[in-house]
Amino acid sequence: MTYTLENTTRWVTVGGHKLRYHEAGAGAPLVLLHGSGAGVSGWANFGGNLEVLAQHFRCLVLDQPGFGESGRPEVYEQNYLRIASDAVIGMLDELGIEKAHLLGNSMGGAVATMTALDHPGRADKLVLMAPGGVGVNILGPEPSEGIRRLMQFNVDPTEQNALGFLRSMVFNEATLTPELIETRLQAASDPKAIAAIQDAYATFYNPKFAEPLPLWARLKGLRHEVLMLWGRDDRVTPVEGALFPARQLPNADLRTFARCGHWVQIERKDAFERAVIDFLQHGL
């Protein structure tokens, strides 16, 4: 079957807000959580992987609150990661799913980690792809080049800044096809999308919304099996940040990918899909 944005689109209402998700395949539920960034959505991150992954899993690709076509609270009154994590649990509740694998890219990796820590019985295995909030950079600059470019876009959401952010996401700029660039720039220019990402990031830097402990300080309490996937040339969450969680997580493997930036699922698509299927079906 050919999966498209249109024929996979579903809707669920959580906390009074309509959330879009894409559903494909059958089998063990697998929730896929996108990262942050200019023009991001669940489909933009994972639409190209559904044809393969849906042969093995019931894939649920969520537009997190405020991103893609999902609604959101008008004012955020807590850390955005917690808002997004609550949305994941709410979606599972509405769909009658007791437990699911969680796969998160970047910010989505942080959301998957928080969800598994706070609701351990609802998460099965975790795939964390260059997850935010979990790694600790000890050598490179903080924030990283990619995060600086994203913050530049948040302050001045121009096409030039959006394109600069996209270029920092990949090892090989040929990955950024004209179609991909056009789609992302069009989505990034939507005033609602701009406001959503600005508001989400504002919660990360607001002391009032700080968690009692950062995610990286809670990792030893995550008992689930975890596969971490990291591009060797990631300029958003540099690969050095993988070393701390690789040591702290009690049941985790780490795999790095050559010729790859922040988008493992795109730049190393086939290897990514093989790694995910093998891990989720057979474990560590």
Side-chain angles (χ1 to χ4, degrees):
M1 177 179 179
T2 299
Y3 295 110
T4 67
L5 184 150
E6 290 77 17
N7 70 22
T8 59
T9 292
R10 310 284 187 270
W11 297 91
V12 64
T13 299
V14 175
H17 302 284
K18 287 186 66 177
L19 305 180
R20 183 179 72 174
Y21 69 99
H22 301 277
E23 182 169 358
L30 169 61
V31 177
L32 298 98
L33 300 168
H34 62 76
S36 61
V40 75
S41 67
W43 185 263
N45 262 196
F46 298 112
N49 307 114
L50 283 184
E51 182 179 353
V52 172
L53 295 182
Q55 296 177 35
H56 304 271
F57 311 104
R58 179 188 178 186
C59 297
L60 304 165
V61 185
L62 178 65
D63 279 358
Q64 297 179 73
F67 290 90
E69 295 298 320
S70 286
R72 69 175 182 116
E74 185 174 342
V75 177
Y76 291 142
E77 297 182 346
Q78 55 184 335
N79 188 292
Y80 181 80
L81 297 182
R82 188 155 297 285
I83 293 170
S85 176
D86 289 347
V88 172
I89 295 299
M91 179 183 73
L92 294 179
D93 287 344
E94 290 296 320
L95 298 180
I97 297 172
E98 181 61 30
K99 179 182 284 191
H101 300 306
L102 304 178
L103 187 160
N105 170 226
S106 196
M107 181 187 74
V111 174
T113 302
M114 176 175 283
T115 302
L117 283 166
D118 292 346
H119 307 275
R122 307 300 299 275
D124 201 336
K125 298 184 180 73
L126 272 65
V127 179
L128 304 179
M129 188 166 49
V134 174
V136 179
N137 294 337
I138 57 175
L139 298 175
E142 184 68 34
S144 66
E145 175 194 352
I147 295 299
R148 288 200 311 273
R149 289 184 179 274
L150 177 56
M151 293 169 72
Q152 287 175 342
F153 172 79
N154 287 348
V155 173
D156 185 18
T158 64
E159 181 175 313
Q160 180 179 357
N161 283 341
L163 190 55
F165 169 71
L166 290 175
R167 285 173 174 154
S168 74
M169 300 288 281
V170 296
F171 168 74
N172 183 358
E173 289 193 15
T175 304
L176 301 175
T177 62
E179 180 184 12
L180 187 153
I181 291 174
E182 180 181 359
T183 300
R184 291 296 292 262
L185 292 183
Q186 182 178 5
S189 65
D190 183 341
K192 290 190 299 183
I194 293 170
I197 191 170
Q198 289 174 337
D199 289 352
Y201 264 74
T203 71
F204 298 155
Y205 298 101
N206 188 335
K208 184 172 64 173
F209 299 143
E211 292 288 312
L213 286 174
L215 282 179
W216 59 262
R218 302 177 61 193
L219 294 183
K220 284 191 175 180
L222 187 64
R223 313 304 300 182
H224 303 68
E225 290 191 15
V226 178
L227 176 65
M228 292 189 295
L229 307 178
W230 232 288
R232 187 183 64 189
D233 300 285
D234 194 324
R235 290 182 281 158
V236 180
T237 52
V239 69
E240 68 178 77
L243 298 178
F244 182 83
R247 170 59 70 183
Q248 294 292 302
L249 288 166
N251 296 301
D253 277 357
L254 168 65
R255 177 171 175 181
T256 60
F257 294 78
R259 308 180 310 282
C260 187
H262 196 54
W263 285 342
V264 179
Q265 81 279 21
I266 293 174
E267 288 198 277
R268 295 294 306 276
K269 177 181 181 298
D270 292 345
F272 163 79
E273 291 163 355
R274 289 194 301 269
V276 169
I277 292 166
D278 180 70
F279 167 67
L280 294 183
Q281 291 188 336
H282 304 292
L284 296 179

